Amino acid sequence: MLTTNPLDDDKLHEECGIFGVYGSDGAAALVALGLHALQHRGQEAAGITSYDGHDFHTHRATGHVAGNFDRDDVIGSLRGQIACGHVRYATTGDTALRNVQPLYAELASGGFAIAHNGNLSNAMRLRRDLVRRGSIFQSTSDTETIIHLVATSSYRTFVDKFIDALKQVEGAYSLIVMTPEGMIACRDPLGIRPLVMGKLGESIIFASETVALDVVGAEFIRSVEPGELVIVKGLEDITSHRPFAPVAPRPCIFEYVYFSRPDSISEERSVYSVRKEIGAQLAIEAPVDADLVIPVPDSGVPAAIGYAQQSGIPFELGIIRSHYVGRTFIQPGDKVRHLGVKLKHNANRALIKGKRVVLIDDSIVRGTTSLKIVQMMREAGAAEVHMRIASPPTRHSCFYGVDTPERAKLLAAKLDVPGMSEFIHADSLAFVSIDGLYKALGEPRRADIRPSHCDACFTGDYPTTLTDQDEAVSIDQFAMLAERVG
């Protein structure tokens, strides 16, 4: 199976989206709607767990929310006024059903369901220690590590056990947890991954993005703060706990570049407006004499509008995307595989022929997407093809819940910008600077202080320790040394 969306496949993929409801009849149906709105954050699998006051009920499946959770029998089986759900794009563990979340376990204190957005950067070390102490893992997901840490904690209350577990993990996490006592929503101390809180009537809602609140008609209350645990035991019993030492937050800056839906609000900023401003900064930093500004659909559209408005070059839809092609398609042979590109995207030939075009995309990862797009423009008769990218070069892997290729496969880690331009066969290539990206956020980046966001994929400045990665590198270095000595 190969995707019919090759122009989207060469992207960084968020690991997942999470959504929780406390205190609503038919909570699972609301969760399903919320997951529909978060489908862009994970398209490999989805799951929902509910609690009816006596029992937990779970349905998990590979594939999209639609087709798995739009059936009356499925939603009807997920009884209760409390429910949480998860859409997944695997970064740790394979796509087997055992890794689909929410994960559920029976602990001494009762049932425990957890939905996780992010990635634990010391999960392998913790897992080895837990297995030595007798833990038996049922999945290959890093999230299960949290379950075992809670189960083996020596603290008395569940909340204390949970906090004890979180203090042992590194990396990024936004979590929604359900127990017989209620629901907990929390973020890691740096707030790397997003989580917001809303209200629908008398119900409390948690979601990865505000757009999911919009879809179910909920009112946005606020973001769950970095390092905060919001504990909901009743509609009149909602408490906030801050068990971690305060640190300066470092939320993921790539949420503004690509991950979040443009109609979401992140940190009180319109994602759409930020993307337009990134495009405007790009036009200031990397102008070009051209006839048309063309977005790479759909993620390049807001930045392309900003570039066109700032530069005065007309904005046009030079690439038309079909929204009616299924995600997968059997493509036997290279010729049919190449034609599969045009099932999803096709050049607007009459518009492009003889024109000097500026293509706007959000990022370059391996470079295969940009190569195909430039080729598409050439075949449509473009006189010149200039590429402008609404993020800095992606030179480093992410270890916080993003499916990044290993660094050796990142084009910007291998080539400088002129070399990348030659690789994709563009007449010119330019990226917005890291300073321009922060200007678009209204937060100029200062060299004398730590940045306000996690930008490690561009700069290599990781805000946490990377225990598993460091140990893997040490093992690889030892193996190379042993090979040379031998």
Side-chain angles (χ1 to χ4, degrees):
M1 287 288 195
L2 293 170
T3 181
T4 59
N5 193 357
L7 300 192
D8 283 350
D9 278 356
D10 188 24
K11 298 286 186 184
L12 301 183
H13 291 278
E14 240 284 11
E15 181 181 357
C16 62
I18 56 178
F19 192 91
V21 175
Y22 184 98
S24 174
D25 291 331
L30 281 178
V31 171
L33 288 174
L35 294 182
H36 272 289
L38 299 173
Q39 187 74 84
H40 60 286
R41 299 185 74 91
Q43 300 181 35
E44 291 187 347
I48 297 176
T49 297
S50 68
Y51 179 63
D52 63 10
H54 299 284
D55 299 305
F56 286 82
H57 311 277
T58 296
H59 184 81
R60 300 180 296 166
T62 56
H64 289 188
V65 178
N68 286 312
F69 292 96
D70 54 2
R71 293 163 31 203
D72 290 341
D73 60 325
V74 172
I75 295 298
S77 69
L78 298 169
R79 300 182 298 277
Q81 294 190 331
I82 308 173
C84 68
H86 186 276
V87 288
R88 183 171 194 266
Y89 189 98
T91 61
T92 61
D94 54 36
T95 56
L97 196 59
R98 62 179 176 159
N99 288 325
V100 180
Q101 298 186 30
L103 298 183
Y104 176 77
E106 288 283 350
L107 306 184
S109 57
F112 176 66
I114 182 170
H116 173 204
N117 174 20
N119 193 64
L120 307 182
S121 57
N122 66 336
M124 292 306 298
R125 172 182 278 189
L126 290 171
R127 185 185 183 105
R128 287 196 301 269
D129 293 343
L130 286 162
V131 169
R132 290 192 190 104
R133 289 157 48 191
S135 291
I136 301 173
F137 280 74
Q138 301 298 315
S139 76
T140 58
S141 169
D142 62 327
T143 308
E144 191 180 354
T145 305
I146 298 174
I147 297 176
H148 289 277
L149 290 174
V150 172
T152 58
S153 173
S154 59
Y155 282 82
R156 187 175 61 84
T157 70
F158 173 81
V159 171
D160 287 338
K161 289 174 182 287
F162 186 57
I163 292 171
D164 179 40
L166 296 184
K167 287 185 175 180
Q168 297 179 63
V169 302
E170 301 169 358
Y173 56 83
S174 285
L175 304 172
I176 298 176
V177 167
M178 296 195 316
T179 75
E181 297 180 9
M183 179 174 284
I184 301 175
C186 65
R187 291 173 76 189
D188 66 79
L190 292 171
I192 297 174
R193 302 261 69 87
L195 191 62
V196 298
M197 181 178 178
K199 188 174 183 181
L200 179 61
E202 297 302 316
S203 305
I204 300 299
I205 312 285
F206 297 102
S208 291
E209 293 183 41
T210 61
V211 67
L213 301 179
D214 297 338
V215 165
V216 301
E219 172 193 359
F220 170 71
I221 298 176
R222 64 178 178 88
S223 293
V224 176
E225 297 296 325
E228 180 186 21
L229 276 70
V230 179
I231 301 176
V232 184
K233 293 186 177 181
L235 300 180
E236 303 298 326
D237 188 1
I238 302 173
T239 56
S240 172
H241 300 255
R242 298 179 185 273
F244 305 102
V247 293
R250 297 281 300 276
C252 174
I253 203 167
F254 216 85
E255 291 286 344
Y256 293 105
V257 174
Y258 178 71
F259 294 148
S260 292
R261 263 180 49 166
D263 46 343
S264 279
I265 305 296
S266 181
E267 302 172 295
E268 300 184 356
R269 299 182 182 94
S270 160
V271 173
Y272 176 79
S273 296
V274 171
R275 288 180 186 168
K276 280 182 62 181
E277 186 57 33
I278 294 172
Q281 289 292 330
L282 186 56
I284 293 168
E285 295 181 356
V288 62
D289 191 12
D291 303 307
L292 302 174
V293 173
I294 294 174
V296 177
D298 289 319
S299 57
V301 171
I305 294 173
Y307 192 101
Q309 291 176 347
Q310 178 66 38
S311 66
I313 303 172
F315 170 94
E316 295 286 357
L317 296 178
I319 302 173
I320 306 302
R321 176 173 178 174
S322 170
H323 293 269
Y324 302 99
V325 179
R327 179 169 172 80
T328 54
F329 182 75
I330 297 173
Q331 299 175 330
D334 290 338
K335 182 177 180 180
V336 177
R337 184 178 295 112
H338 176 72
L339 292 176
V341 174
K342 296 184 177 180
L343 287 174
K344 200 74 177 182
H345 299 83
N346 193 40
N348 192 346
R349 187 176 298 271
L351 179 73
I352 292 167
K353 188 173 182 180
K355 298 294 196 306
R356 300 166 300 169
V357 303
V358 185
L359 291 168
I360 309 293
D361 204 357
D362 59 89
S363 60
I364 290 182
V365 182
R366 297 177 182 88
T368 52
T369 290
S370 302
L371 178 63
K372 291 172 184 175
I373 296 169
V374 171
Q375 180 183 355
M376 184 187 297
M377 295 295 101
R378 302 277 191 209
E379 292 174 350
E384 296 176 11
V385 183
H386 304 273
M387 196 117 195
R388 297 293 181 267
I389 306 300
S391 65
T394 303
R395 294 193 173 100
H396 303 273
S397 298
C398 177
F399 302 100
Y400 301 123
V402 177
D403 183 45
T404 314
E406 58 188 65
R407 192 171 183 225
K409 294 182 180 179
L410 294 172
L411 191 65
K414 299 184 292 185
L415 301 172
D416 59 11
V417 174
M420 296 173 73
S421 181
E422 183 178 354
F423 176 85
I424 67 173
H425 300 162
D427 290 288
S428 72
L429 170 67
F431 297 77
V432 74
S433 67
I434 191 70
D435 290 335
L437 182 58
Y438 275 89
K439 284 179 182 177
L441 289 173
E443 297 182 3
R445 195 175 194 268
R446 291 174 49 187
D448 59 331
I449 60 173
R450 293 294 296 272
S452 58
H453 288 73
C454 177
D455 54 23
C457 54
F458 308 131
T459 65
D461 177 16
Y462 295 99
T464 75
T465 52
L466 302 172
T467 298
D468 291 342
Q469 176 66 15
D470 292 342
E471 289 184 355
V473 170
S474 297
I475 291 170
D476 288 344
Q477 290 173 340
F478 178 80
M480 291 172 62
L481 178 63
E483 186 174 328
R484 285 199 296 268
V485 173

